[in-house]
Amino acid sequence: MRNILLLDTSVASCNKGDDIIMECVRKELQFLLKDNYEYTLPTHVSPFHWYQVWRNSSRLQSYSNCELKFIGGSNILCKDLLTHYPQWNINWFNCKPLMGSIGVGVGAGAGETSNWYTRKMYQRVLSHDYFHSVRDERTKQYVESLGLKAINTGCVTMWMLTPEFCKSIPAQKSDKVVFTLTRQPAVNENGQFLIDTLLKNYQEVYFWPQGMGDYEYFHDFNNIENIKILPASKAAYDEYLTNNDTDYVGTRLHGGVYAMRHGRRAIIIAIDERAREIDKANHLNCIDINQIHELPEMINSEIETHVTMDFEAIKRWKSQFENFVK
């Protein structure tokens, strides 16, 4: 039995989308995890104090000596690790036990440049031996600019969306819809247009607060009295998607992908580089926030789901670890 370290991006996260990502990471790595011993450490909070690393106790050595170390997806590669709260909360003094980490569908954060410190940190902690699985071409270029190897596998949450599975997703509008919002500093007209549009086009409308502050943000809008609110947990969302013939419409990328994984028709509203970059390569049923006035027509159209994934790339990335499979 070998020891494998899984760096869990859902711990201390303010976004239930990270719970979705980690569920998918574990499913896709099950061929490795099922017969070996899994250690876990968080990414959003510091895994170690510098003093613990300096002491180098036997417990810390257990993490350091894991034969494989995986970091689970998300927008983890912040372009500036000197920011007040980086997605991966590491620094030069506590990262030694994590050296050799391998990305699983990881994404690069906003911005086009990195400072010297950030680049050196990633070059120190990320594996130089294995190819990293990255979620889009932009992240692939960033990882390769660090002198590391990368394969564009798409987001790990989408690896099960085969052509055969996509054919099972309805093209016609349902009577129900679940939607998400992404908290903004102030209420904007696009959010109100989304709510009003859904109420006009569906018999039942549900809201799932995926991220911190989304629930409070939702209550700042008008015309919400007849909208049902789901509990803010992945389990509640899973149960709803499993037991309801429903559409998904919203600004949360992984809320939409999770709906698709349940065989539900999804329209994802792109508000940042994550959905936009994934849509470029993988063809989500995506509409940009700047074209939201086209949403009513899209809702009432036949929408066939044709997600395009490079399954050979996914297979090639997984094949690196064949020697670890019993």
Side-chain angles (χ1 to χ4, degrees):
M1 183 174 290
R2 287 161 154 168
N3 295 329
I4 296 176
L5 175 61
L6 195 56
L7 299 173
D8 192 330
T9 51
S10 70
V11 177
S13 173
C14 299
N15 185 342
K16 296 302 177 183
D18 289 329
D19 290 7
I20 292 171
I21 291 170
M22 288 309 302
E23 174 186 307
C24 299
V25 167
R26 284 189 163 88
K27 284 183 178 179
E28 295 296 343
L29 293 182
Q30 195 56 219
F31 73 103
L32 289 172
L33 299 177
K34 62 185 178 70
D35 293 320
N36 293 303
Y37 192 89
E38 177 190 331
Y39 287 89
T40 55
L41 285 173
T43 56
H44 285 55
V45 292
S46 180
F48 308 107
H49 190 276
W50 67 266
Y51 180 70
Q52 294 174 302
V53 177
W54 178 72
R55 286 285 305 273
N56 197 27
S57 68
S58 59
R59 175 173 291 186
L60 188 137
Q61 290 177 41
S62 297
Y63 296 114
S64 299
N65 295 333
C66 284
E67 294 187 64
L68 292 172
K69 304 171 186 178
F70 294 103
I71 181 163
S74 89
N75 216 30
I76 199 69
L77 299 181
C78 170
K79 294 292 187 69
D80 181 10
L81 286 172
L82 294 174
T83 187
H84 64 289
Y85 196 84
Q87 289 282 81
W88 196 359
N89 208 329
I90 52 173
N91 59 60
W92 198 261
F93 305 102
N94 71 359
C95 71
K96 186 177 179 181
L98 309 181
M99 289 171 62
S101 293
I102 307 162
V104 187
V106 296
E112 298 307 317
T113 59
S114 280
N115 53 50
W116 179 88
Y117 172 77
T118 299
R119 294 177 64 84
K120 288 298 180 184
M121 275 294 303
Y122 290 144
Q123 289 168 346
R124 185 180 194 210
V125 75
L126 292 173
S127 174
H128 289 248
D129 298 323
Y130 292 98
F131 282 87
H132 298 276
S133 157
V134 299
R135 73 179 183 204
D136 53 49
E137 197 62 26
R138 175 175 171 271
T139 305
K140 182 175 184 287
Q141 291 173 5
Y142 179 65
V143 171
E144 290 177 340
S145 76
L146 301 171
L148 307 175
K149 300 179 291 185
I151 298 175
N152 183 357
T153 60
C155 182
V156 67
T157 59
M158 300 167 62
W159 290 6
M160 67 162 284
L161 298 179
T162 63
E164 293 75 21
F165 183 86
C166 288
K167 287 178 183 177
S168 70
I169 298 176
Q172 299 284 351
K173 178 174 76 72
S174 176
D175 292 332
K176 297 180 183 179
V177 67
V178 59
F179 78 101
T180 57
L181 294 167
T182 303
R183 181 187 60 169
Q184 304 293 328
V187 169
N188 62 67
E189 59 183 16
N190 289 329
Q192 190 63 61
F193 182 84
L194 169 61
I195 290 171
D196 294 341
T197 298
L198 298 181
L199 288 168
K200 288 176 183 176
N201 288 279
Y202 291 93
Q203 295 177 18
E204 295 183 40
V205 180
Y206 293 79
F207 173 67
W208 183 51
Q210 180 181 310
M212 183 181 69
D214 290 357
Y215 177 84
E216 292 78 9
Y217 182 60
F218 165 76
H219 281 91
D220 289 335
F221 288 94
N222 298 317
N223 199 22
I224 62 172
E225 296 79 13
N226 295 320
I227 296 175
K228 302 175 181 69
I229 303 174
L230 298 176
S233 70
K234 181 178 69 67
Y237 189 45
D238 189 350
E239 182 179 6
Y240 171 82
L241 292 171
T242 300
N243 297 312
N244 289 274
D245 180 6
T246 184
D247 286 358
Y248 167 88
V249 180
T251 60
R252 292 292 190 175
L253 170 64
H254 290 105
V257 173
Y258 204 53
M260 294 165 67
R261 290 175 66 92
H262 284 74
R264 307 305 179 189
R265 191 179 85 146
I267 298 173
I268 296 169
I269 301 170
I271 60 171
D272 59 24
E273 79 284 347
R274 288 171 289 185
R276 291 183 180 118
E277 290 298 322
I278 291 175
D279 184 48
K280 282 181 186 177
N282 306 117
H283 304 112
L284 300 170
N285 290 327
C286 204
I287 182 171
D288 197 272
I289 189 68
N290 297 316
Q291 277 78 48
I292 197 169
H293 61 278
E294 300 174 6
L295 182 61
E297 181 181 354
M298 190 172 183
I299 286 173
N300 290 289
S301 301
E302 280 199 8
I303 302 175
E304 293 187 356
T305 303
H306 292 297
V307 175
T308 57
M309 299 295 295
D310 189 342
F311 294 103
E312 284 302 314
I314 296 168
K315 183 178 179 181
R316 184 157 55 96
W317 181 79
K318 287 185 175 181
S319 70
Q320 300 177 104
F321 314 110
E322 288 177 350
N323 292 338
F324 292 86
V325 178
K326 293 182 179 180

